[in-house]
Amino acid sequence: MMKEETPRANRFHIGLFGRRNSGKSSLVNMLTGQQVAVVSDVPGTTTDVVLKNIELPGVGASVLVDTAGYDDEGELGGLRVRQTVNAARRVDLALIIVSGLPDGAEKEKAWAERFRADDIPVLYIYNKVDEDGGSHADAWCMTLGATEVVSVSARTGEGRDRLLSAMAEVYRRTDEVEDLTGNLAGEGDTVVLVMPQDIQAPKGRLILPQVQTLRNLLDKRCTALCCTADRLSATLSVLSSPPSLIITDSQVFPTVEALCPPQTRLTSFSVLFARQKGDIRQFLQGAEALCALRPDARVLIAEACTHVPQHEDIGRVKLPRLLRCKFGEALHIDIVSGNDFPEDLSAYDLVIHCGACMFTRRHVLNRLRRARACGVPVTNYGVAIAALTGILDKVAVPE
């Protein structure tokens, strides 16, 4: 039986942040109705970021992100706080959990400002209302300068519906790109997907971008044909008329472009995800900076997923080869993967990011914002390969 589950990257990420023993983990357990997180009266029980998939009313597929207290102390405490900081950059909604009487709320204010700077919405949650009847919630509201503090009890479940409604309202206001192919494909269109099944593709399965693109086309009632690059010519020959669109893996862009009929639009999985996960205009501007790099420039290649590098890896082998072929061996290239991403990007002349199918849109936009703040241009794997091979002007970008 096939297991159907929304990929974590496509889920709405809700982070729980607060001081030690404020009841973050208890709140996770209340929302899930399970003992997902270990709880106790001992401050600092949660030491690592805990992720739990959940379906929430009014939101749908979500991930609850439980974090260590941001007031943790000592050497290990500092490491835990850094994990919390990294988690904060990946959430779509931040719940700041408070309890007891406010003591100036400087940490809460500082974290709220951190989230606002990253354009992440914040909900304040007053927990443990069963212990004091909620008498301190108004004091927190005034101290924080908030319009609302949602009062709940993780122990009794009081206020759960109010919290769910508040989270659903935030979700309704989020700016998500739902249609992966946008205006490039419509009902009745024939679309060819060129999908190399190389050593990096999981045996017996398709990689996530291919699956999601295929599902998008089926939802739009398109006719989708799939082939590998070596079978593209044969696939085109059996069609009575050229397809409306060809979507290719970026690695075979030049091969596919050479076979693409003049009236057929061409794009790549990476370009589609560049628009859905980030800012396609910023990536196109980054391509201009790419073409103008100095021979001794410093480039950062950023991969979203962590994997053991394999033969002809696109980020670690193919892109560096293309870059050095164009700009020379003096080009300095650094490579990071997963959540490793430099705090300070100012040393770089360009960042080339992968399609980010494993990241949330908020996570990618956060990285793009940090790059803009440092004045560093960013482009995307697919856009970069098209630019380096001289066919970017022939690539269709969805709107």
Side-chain angles (χ1 to χ4, degrees):
M1 182 176 66
M2 181 180 294
K3 181 180 179 182
E4 295 184 2
E5 185 172 287
T6 302
R8 185 161 278 171
N10 290 356
R11 290 173 174 265
F12 190 68
H13 283 54
I14 302 169
L16 290 85
F17 303 89
R19 305 188 190 208
R20 290 172 292 172
N21 217 26
S22 59
K24 301 182 297 298
S25 298
S26 297
L27 200 58
V28 169
N29 291 341
M30 180 194 77
L31 288 170
T32 61
Q34 306 172 30
Q35 292 299 308
V36 173
V38 177
V39 298
S40 79
D41 293 331
V42 178
T45 299
T46 301
T47 58
D48 296 306
V49 174
V50 177
L51 306 179
K52 175 60 180 177
N53 290 357
I54 187 173
E55 297 285 329
L56 291 173
V59 178
S62 308
V63 179
L64 297 179
V65 184
D66 188 17
T67 64
Y70 48 53
D71 61 336
D72 214 336
E73 300 171 338
E75 185 176 350
L76 284 177
L79 293 174
R80 293 166 187 156
V81 172
R82 279 199 286 277
Q83 282 189 322
T84 299
V85 169
N86 287 334
R89 292 173 174 150
R90 308 196 298 270
V91 301
D92 299 296
L93 167 63
L95 307 183
I96 294 182
I97 319 299
V98 299
S99 60
L101 278 168
D103 59 355
E106 296 308 316
K107 287 188 179 294
E108 286 72 22
K109 292 177 182 177
W111 274 79
E113 181 55 37
R114 178 194 298 272
F115 290 122
R116 278 192 287 269
D118 288 335
D119 197 29
I120 296 172
V122 172
L123 286 177
Y124 294 106
I125 313 300
Y126 181 79
N127 195 12
K128 305 183 181 180
V129 69
D130 55 298
E131 296 181 5
D132 54 30
S135 58
H136 302 321
D138 289 342
W140 274 105
C141 196
M142 183 176 298
T143 302
L144 293 168
T147 56
E148 180 185 17
V149 174
V150 181
S151 297
V152 301
S153 168
R155 186 177 68 84
T156 68
E158 180 182 350
R160 184 177 185 272
D161 289 344
R162 288 195 298 274
L163 175 55
L164 290 172
S165 294
M167 292 191 295
E169 178 57 32
V170 172
Y171 175 75
R172 282 192 288 271
R173 299 197 301 265
T174 57
D175 178 24
E176 292 294 325
V177 178
E178 298 291 343
D179 186 354
L180 185 60
T181 54
N183 66 325
L184 296 185
E187 182 173 349
D189 285 349
T190 297
V191 181
V192 174
L193 292 84
V194 183
M195 309 188 306
Q197 299 304 295
D198 57 23
I199 192 171
Q200 296 176 60
K203 187 176 181 179
R205 292 182 289 132
L206 301 176
I207 61 174
L208 188 60
Q210 297 170 354
V211 172
Q212 293 185 353
T213 304
L214 185 57
R215 175 57 192 262
N216 173 262
L217 294 171
L218 294 176
D219 286 344
K220 296 173 81 168
R221 301 180 65 81
C222 297
T223 300
L225 290 83
C226 305
C227 67
T228 51
D230 60 316
R231 294 293 301 167
L232 176 59
S233 181
T235 301
L236 294 174
S237 69
V238 301
L239 295 175
S240 58
S241 59
S244 302
L245 174 68
I246 295 178
I247 305 172
T248 180
D249 186 289
S250 300
Q251 300 179 68
V252 290
F253 243 149
T255 301
V256 174
E257 191 276 332
L259 296 172
C260 185
Q263 61 270 56
T264 298
R265 288 180 291 187
L266 171 66
T267 194
S268 74
F269 296 103
S270 188
V271 169
L272 297 181
F273 275 85
R275 168 180 168 270
Q276 186 186 54
K277 295 288 187 176
D279 183 340
I280 186 63
R281 299 303 162 190
Q282 187 173 350
F283 288 137
L284 290 172
Q285 291 170 2
E288 296 178 8
L290 165 63
C291 295
L293 283 177
R294 304 185 314 274
D296 61 344
R298 192 179 185 96
V299 176
L300 177 69
I301 295 178
E303 298 178 332
C305 58
T306 54
H307 61 273
V308 177
Q310 301 185 58
H311 179 66
E312 290 297 285
D313 185 273
I314 183 171
R316 297 173 185 270
V317 178
K318 293 185 177 180
L319 258 176
R321 181 193 298 148
L322 282 170
L323 288 166
R324 291 201 165 98
C325 182
K326 183 173 180 64
F327 300 106
E329 293 298 321
L331 196 71
H332 187 96
I333 301 173
D334 292 334
I335 301 172
V336 296
S337 61
N339 292 319
D340 293 335
F341 197 70
E343 280 292 328
D344 184 3
L345 296 168
S346 59
Y348 293 100
D349 298 290
L350 178 71
V351 175
I352 304 178
H353 208 289
C354 71
C357 62
M358 302 301 292
F359 279 179
T360 65
R361 175 173 168 81
R362 185 80 62 174
H363 192 174
V364 178
L365 291 176
N366 184 288
R367 287 188 169 187
L368 297 184
R369 192 177 298 110
R370 288 159 65 188
R372 279 198 302 271
C374 294
V376 179
V378 184
T379 192
N380 156 275
Y381 276 20
V383 175
I385 291 173
L388 289 168
T389 54
I391 62 171
L392 183 57
D393 61 330
K394 300 175 183 177
V395 174
V397 177
E399 295 177 358

